[in-house]
Amino acid sequence: MAEDSTSMQVEEKDKMNEWVRLTTPDGYEYLIKRKVAMCSGTLRNSLSAESSFSEALSNTSHTTERAIIVEKLCEYLTYKSLYESAKKNEEIPDFQERVYPEISLELLVAADYYDDWPMQHAFQRDAMRPNLAQARLPAKPEA
Amino acid sequence: MSSDYEPGARRLPSLVQYCQRVASTHANSFERLGEGLPEELLRPILNSCSAETLWRFEEEDPYIAAYTTDIWRNMCLKTYPRFAREPEESGSESWKDEFARCKEEDEQRLERAAAKLREKRQLDEERRKETSIKITDKLPPAKRARWGVSAPAKTLFQKTRSETAKLQKGVFSTRMTRPSTQRRPIVHNYAGASTSARPPPPPPTSMSSSIASGSRVTVRAVPVPRKPPPAEQALSAVANPNAGRMNSALSPPPPAKETNPVQTPSSPPDGRPPPLVRPPPKKNPASTLFMPKHHAYSQLPRGLSSKS
């Protein structure tokens, strides 16, 4: 059991280091780490769902946004995953300057969509992981 | 992106919040908002745009109007605190209309005030113009054109006095160059006639008065025998009807019009002719000016060489 759990954790970690692909209708593709993608509630859903059905080929989420918007989205997700766990007094760069006024309205709509996921407490999110892990991993032989 | 509630974790603003901030800052640069934007997302942007921008947004995407009532209300009360009234009171259909009404009212008041100010300024300008210096090449009307009105001088002494007085102040008493320079009387002293008292050189004013009188009085040259032998004193046209030229006989004067048969020191046939020599041909802009008396270095044309 213990082995299982550690191996599960290790696998999960590996999983988290995998690259995830976001495609756009205008022909661009963006690769981000899975753990970064998980910062978005919607992406988390879509990637998990897809992965559960077609894991090997999956890790891809087909977005309906323009490439610029997806790019900014990825930028924000990276920023968030990086500084989310920073301590209070640490200085972090401001993201506001990176939001260009020309795209602000579109990005506003996109951000609202991809951040649909209601706010969850940590324990709830963690609770989801075992489910995800189970869904992904092939059935383990009974130990 | 939703913020974390993990203990110790940083609470980052969500991307939605960032976008709202940036869009609100540049709200007036947007041409239109586009469709499908949920109200809650738009609210901060609509709150931070100007009335003009909001109007534009509503025109381009009318669906926005559904949730802008409050915004228009705030706009009204903020921009036109004195004019704004509840739409039911003032008859507007909505707060948006109320805003338009207030704006019109404001403009009208401004226009009225501006018009009043303009009028006042114009009046002031006109008043100033009247008293300002104008350039002209005409002489101002003679201030003392009525010099001839003085009481007729019967005696020689009186005549002398009045004439010298005129001379002293004489610039404005005539509107022409001194007649004396043109037609100084040639007093021929023929034999024997010199004993009579000669009248002094005719004053410059006599021309004007003689002309004036000439217009009124019929002129007939009548040789009048006098006690002293009639001297052919070709008196010039400057016969003064009132002057007691007692001893001057008249030969037919060269300009027949202008001399009188001065027979006796008689008073003029009728009352003093009107003093004005001739009315000014046209309105002289300088006529409104105040012309001072002759000054030491005045450049006004004067007959006399003396300047004082």
Side-chain angles (χ1 to χ4, degrees):
Chain A
M1 284 301 187
E3 279 181 1
D4 283 345
S5 57
T6 36
S7 60
M8 234 165 54
Q9 281 168 10
V10 164
E11 278 179 32
E12 203 183 302
K13 233 184 167 179
D14 288 341
K15 195 74 183 180
M16 278 299 157
N17 271 333
E18 277 180 5
W19 293 98
V20 161
R21 189 195 305 260
L22 303 177
T23 64
T24 67
D26 42 351
Y28 286 84
E29 294 185 351
Y30 290 92
L31 295 171
I32 51 174
K33 287 277 174 82
R34 183 174 278 271
K35 66 180 173 194
V36 169
M38 292 301 123
C39 290
S40 152
T42 315
L43 277 183
R44 191 187 309 165
N45 275 347
S46 77
L47 285 170
S48 318
E50 280 177 12
S51 310
S52 70
F53 292 117
S54 48
E55 191 214 345
L57 302 171
S58 176
N59 296 338
T60 307
S61 177
H62 303 281
T63 62
T64 48
E65 314 290 335
R66 285 197 304 153
I68 311 173
I69 307 298
V70 173
E71 187 174 323
K72 270 302 165 189
L73 203 62
C74 295
E75 206 176 313
Y76 178 77
L77 292 175
T78 314
Y79 169 83
K80 182 174 173 186
S81 76
L82 197 55
Y83 294 114
E84 216 174 21
S85 46
K87 298 193 196 80
K88 285 229 167 137
N89 3 353
E90 260 180 62
E91 262 192 42
I92 58 174
D94 183 37
F95 194 77
Q96 187 153 338
E97 324 167 315
R98 291 165 173 254
V99 177
Y100 305 139
E102 299 87 346
I103 57 169
S104 59
L105 284 183
E106 262 185 276
L107 192 58
L108 176 61
V109 178
D112 186 55
Y113 176 70
Y114 281 97
D115 197 26
D116 243 352
W117 199 257
M119 279 196 301
Q120 282 188 328
H121 292 289
F123 66 89
Q124 275 182 346
R125 253 210 343 232
D126 286 345
M128 289 223 36
R129 287 208 190 119
N131 291 336
L132 297 177
Q134 275 176 12
R136 272 196 304 273
L137 294 176
K140 280 187 97 60
E142 315 283 327
Chain B
M1 309 309 162
S2 37
S3 19
D4 264 314
Y5 272 175
E6 275 178 4
R10 197 69 172 249
R11 192 187 174 117
L12 292 177
S14 71
L15 188 55
V16 168
Q17 284 172 355
Y18 275 128
C19 288
Q20 280 176 337
R21 281 188 216 168
V22 171
S24 303
T25 317
H26 301 270
N28 292 324
S29 318
F30 286 122
E31 200 179 293
R32 57 184 296 203
L33 290 179
E35 292 179 350
L37 292 170
E39 181 187 346
E40 317 77 42
L41 288 188
L42 279 185
R43 187 156 292 275
I45 303 170
L46 294 176
N47 275 329
S48 43
C49 68
S50 69
E52 207 182 283
T53 311
L54 191 57
W55 201 282
R56 187 169 66 235
F57 286 164
E58 288 203 10
E59 270 199 42
E60 301 275 350
D61 303 294
Y63 75 96
I64 291 172
Y67 26 84
T68 51
T69 314
D70 276 344
I71 302 178
W72 279 119
R73 183 171 177 277
N74 291 337
M75 205 86 81
C76 268
L77 296 175
K78 193 175 60 165
T79 327
Y80 302 113
R82 288 181 306 168
F83 305 140
R85 278 187 292 269
E86 297 286 331
E88 300 84 40
E89 283 180 29
S90 66
S92 322
E93 286 175 2
S94 65
W95 275 106
K96 182 176 171 189
D97 286 340
E98 177 68 16
F99 187 85
R101 190 193 66 82
C102 288
K103 183 158 179 245
E104 259 182 52
E105 204 178 319
D106 192 43
E107 279 173 9
Q108 271 178 16
R109 287 206 185 178
L110 196 66
E111 181 58 40
R112 255 180 271 153
K116 249 187 260 174
L117 201 65
R118 244 178 281 137
E119 244 183 75
K120 185 165 181 287
R121 246 201 14 188
Q122 255 183 4
L123 283 176
D124 270 346
E125 278 277 338
E126 281 172 23
R127 234 175 277 140
R128 269 198 316 129
K129 258 191 173 178
E130 282 176 12
T131 59
S132 71
I133 294 178
K134 299 183 194 70
I135 297 178
T136 171
D137 58 355
K138 296 197 189 326
L139 289 175
K143 249 207 159 178
R144 312 289 178 111
R146 302 167 177 246
W147 257 107
V149 197
S150 54
K154 294 198 178 180
T155 67
L156 197 54
F157 181 61
Q158 286 175 355
K159 203 176 81 162
T160 315
R161 260 188 39 194
S162 64
E163 281 170 2
T164 47
K166 286 183 202 166
L167 276 181
Q168 277 183 345
K169 307 176 188 174
V171 183
F172 302 105
S173 57
T174 173
R175 301 187 71 227
M176 295 165 287
T177 52
R178 282 200 57 208
S180 55
T181 59
Q182 291 173 352
R183 296 189 227 176
R184 189 172 288 284
I186 303 170
V187 176
H188 297 292
N189 186 5
Y190 290 111
S194 57
T195 51
S196 54
R198 289 291 149 91
T205 56
S206 54
M207 176 63 97
S208 44
S209 36
S210 67
I211 289 181
S213 47
S215 59
R216 284 284 224 103
V217 182
T218 333
V219 173
R220 253 177 328 125
V222 173
V224 172
R226 289 179 175 258
K227 288 176 192 168
E232 305 85 62
Q233 291 182 354
L235 271 183
S236 72
V238 296
N240 190 337
N242 300 321
R245 296 183 193 262
M246 297 180 251
N247 299 315
S248 58
L250 289 180
S251 44
K257 272 194 289 196
E258 296 176 338
T259 47
N260 277 334
V262 178
Q263 310 182 1
T264 49
S266 53
S267 45
D270 45 356
R272 207 62 199 132
L276 253 193
V277 176
R278 65 172 87 108
K282 67 177 185 184
K283 176 114 176 91
N284 190 349
S287 59
T288 56
L289 292 181
F290 163 71
M291 289 302 301
K293 292 189 182 177
H294 57 83
H295 282 289
Y297 300 102
S298 159
Q299 292 175 2
L300 288 161
R302 291 163 182 252
L304 293 184
S305 54
S306 69
K307 293 184 183 164
S308 62

